Amino acid sequence: MTVLETRAAPSRAGVLRRVAPALLGYAAVRALGLLVLFVWSAARDKSAYTLLTARWDALWYVRVAESGYGYEVRLANGDVHSNLAFFPLLPWLERLVAAVSPLSYADGGFLVSLLASLAAAWGIFAVADRVYGRRAGVCAVLLWAVLPVGIVQSMAYSESLFTALAAWSLYAVLTGRWVTAGTLALAAGLTRPVGMAVVAAVWAAALASFLTERRAGTVEREALTSGMPQGPDPAASRARRVLGMALAPLGTAGYVLWVGHRTGRGPLGYLDVQAGWRNGFDGGYAFARFVAEKFTSFPSALAGAGLIAGVASVVWLYGIGVRQRQPLPLLVYSGVVTALALCASSYFGSKPRLLMPAFPLLLPLALALAKGRTRRSAWVLGVVAVVSSAYGAFWLNGSGPP
C-alpha cells in the first residue's frame, strides 16, 4: 500500500449531493450551539455576539486589522503581550470584508469564521470520504461539530480558517494535486503557528512518493523498453511535487522571518514574542507539572484525573489511526498538531481548542459510528450535540477561551 492509496474520488456531478448530508448536519449542530449560546447569554444579561466577536483573541485580530502590527500590552509582572504573536491571514480577510462591505472588522471576522467553518466541514468530509467512504465522512464532520469546544468554530478566531486550509491541503495531497497542496499549506502557515504541521504533512507525503517512485524505477524502465503504454509524464509530475514542497513552508517562514526583522532579533524574534506571552515549547514539562499539581487536594484531583484521561484518549486515538493505516500525511499532520498542543508551556486551558484542528484523530470514531446502525449513531451524536452546545454556552459566559 502506498502512502496515497485511497478510495476513488466521486464524480464532480455528484459532489454537492454527496456532501450535502454532512454540511446540513454540521450547520444544524452549529445553529443549535449558537441558539443555546444566545438564550444562555440573554438570561445572564450578556451579549452573545460580543462573546463571539469581541473578546479574547478576537480583539487582537481586530486590532491588527484596524491598525496593523505594533500594538502591545505591558503587564505589571513585566510580561509584554504583542500582537505580533497573531498571524496575519485572518486580519487581512477581516480588512478585506470591511473594505468591500458595510461590515465592521469584527463582523468580518465572524463572517469569515462562519464561511470557513463550512469549508472546513467540507474538507474534513472530503478527506474522510476519500479514505473510508461517505458514511465515515458524514460522521467525521458531525464529530468535529460536536466537540466540547465546538463553539470556537463560530467565533471570530482563526481555528476554522486554519482547519479549512489544512483539510483541503491534505485532500490535495491525497489526490496528487501537489501545487494546490503547497499553496494551501502556505496559506495555513499565514494563519497559525501550527501551520508547520501542514507543511510537514506535504513534505512527508512528497518524500515518501519520491521514495516509492525510486523503488519502482526498475519496473518503469522495463515498461518503457517493452513498449507498454505510459501514464502522465513522470518528470512533469515530479516537478509539480517539488514546486508544492517549495511553496508549502513560505507562509510560516515568511511571517516568522518578517517578525524577526521587525524586532531586530532575526529568526529568534518570533520566539521572543511568544515568550512575552509566557508561551513556548518545553516538551510537555510545564503541562505535566500543571496536571500533577491538581492532585494536591481532592476536588482538584478529579480535574487532574480528567486531564490524564483526556490526554490518554488523544494518544489512544492516534494509535488506532496508526493501526488502521491512515495515510501518511494524515498521521504526520495530526501528530504534529497534537505534539505542539500538548507540549506548549502555557495556556493550559486552551489545549482542547489547540487540538481542534487535529481532525484525523476523529476518524477512528467516525469509522466506528459509520459501521453501526444509523439510528443509534444519530442518537449518540444528537445527545453529544446538546451537551456540547450547553457546555459551549456555559464556557463563553464563564471563563471563556484563553
Side-chain angles (χ1 to χ4, degrees):
M1 173 177 176
T2 66
V3 294
L4 302 182
E5 183 181 335
T6 53
R7 294 177 180 266
S11 64
R12 291 187 177 183
V15 166
L16 287 177
R17 184 170 60 253
R18 190 173 184 84
V19 74
L23 293 183
L24 290 174
Y26 178 80
V29 173
R30 291 275 35 89
L32 175 63
L34 291 173
L35 176 62
V36 173
L37 173 65
F38 274 80
V39 171
W40 194 304
S41 300
R44 295 175 59 88
D45 198 26
K46 290 185 177 182
S47 168
Y49 191 69
T50 298
L51 294 175
L52 292 169
T53 63
R55 295 287 302 276
W56 307 291
D57 287 8
L59 281 176
W60 288 90
Y61 286 119
V62 166
R63 289 192 184 107
V64 174
E66 287 177 339
S67 307
Y69 287 103
Y71 178 83
E72 62 184 28
V73 174
R74 294 184 177 273
L75 305 183
N77 64 356
D79 290 344
V80 178
H81 287 184
S82 168
N83 66 357
L84 289 169
F86 296 87
F87 277 51
L89 185 56
L90 178 58
W92 287 347
L93 294 175
E94 290 176 342
R95 186 177 295 179
L96 176 62
V97 171
V100 301
S101 74
L103 298 177
S104 67
Y105 295 120
D107 296 336
F110 183 63
L111 177 62
V112 169
S113 183
L114 288 183
L115 295 177
S117 68
L118 289 171
W122 194 338
I124 292 169
F125 171 84
V127 170
D129 179 29
R130 181 80 178 175
V131 179
Y132 294 123
R134 186 187 187 192
R135 284 175 60 88
V138 173
C139 291
V141 169
L142 294 179
L143 284 169
W144 192 67
V146 303
L147 288 173
V149 293
I151 190 64
V152 174
Q153 297 163 19
S154 301
M155 297 178 68
Y157 271 42
S158 62
E159 273 78 6
S160 290
L161 178 60
F162 174 79
T163 305
L165 294 168
W168 283 108
S169 179
L170 291 170
Y171 180 75
V173 170
L174 292 175
T175 53
R177 297 175 173 89
W178 295 102
V179 177
T180 300
T183 302
L184 291 170
L186 185 159
L190 288 171
T191 308
R192 297 185 62 80
V194 74
M196 65 182 68
V198 190
V199 178
V202 172
W203 273 63
L207 292 174
S209 294
F210 280 123
L211 182 60
T212 300
E213 284 183 354
R214 184 177 180 181
R215 289 174 176 172
T218 302
V219 176
E220 292 177 358
R221 286 192 293 272
E222 291 176 352
L224 283 171
T225 56
S226 66
M228 292 173 59
Q230 299 301 303
D233 181 5
S237 176
R238 285 192 290 270
R240 289 191 293 271
R241 204 175 309 157
V242 170
L243 179 56
M245 293 177 68
L247 288 170
L250 295 183
T252 300
Y255 182 69
V256 169
L257 291 175
W258 179 81
V259 171
H261 174 73
R262 184 182 177 96
T263 59
R265 288 281 295 160
L268 299 178
Y270 186 76
L271 296 179
D272 291 341
V273 170
Q274 286 286 3
W277 287 79
R278 291 186 177 260
N279 199 15
F281 187 89
D282 65 357
Y285 172 75
F287 184 45
R289 187 174 61 184
F290 172 77
V291 173
E293 290 174 352
K294 293 293 182 182
F295 290 92
T296 57
S297 63
F298 174 72
S300 63
L302 296 177
L307 289 171
I308 292 175
V311 172
S313 297
V314 169
V315 175
W316 176 68
L317 287 172
Y318 187 80
I320 292 179
V322 173
R323 291 195 296 273
Q324 290 179 343
R325 298 176 63 85
Q326 280 186 17
L328 177 64
L330 301 188
L331 292 174
V332 171
Y333 168 75
S334 58
V336 174
V337 172
T338 300
L340 291 175
L342 295 181
C343 296
S345 60
S346 188
Y347 296 99
F348 306 115
S350 66
K351 300 294 186 186
R353 175 168 66 88
L354 298 178
L355 282 167
M356 192 171 64
F359 68 88
L361 293 175
L362 300 174
L363 293 185
L365 297 177
L367 188 59
L369 286 173
K371 291 179 178 178
R373 294 182 177 179
T374 300
R375 180 175 298 181
R376 180 183 302 172
S377 298
W379 270 106
V380 170
L381 290 168
V383 170
V384 177
V386 171
V387 174
S388 173
S389 298
Y391 178 74
F394 168 77
W395 190 39
L396 289 195
N397 279 276
S399 61

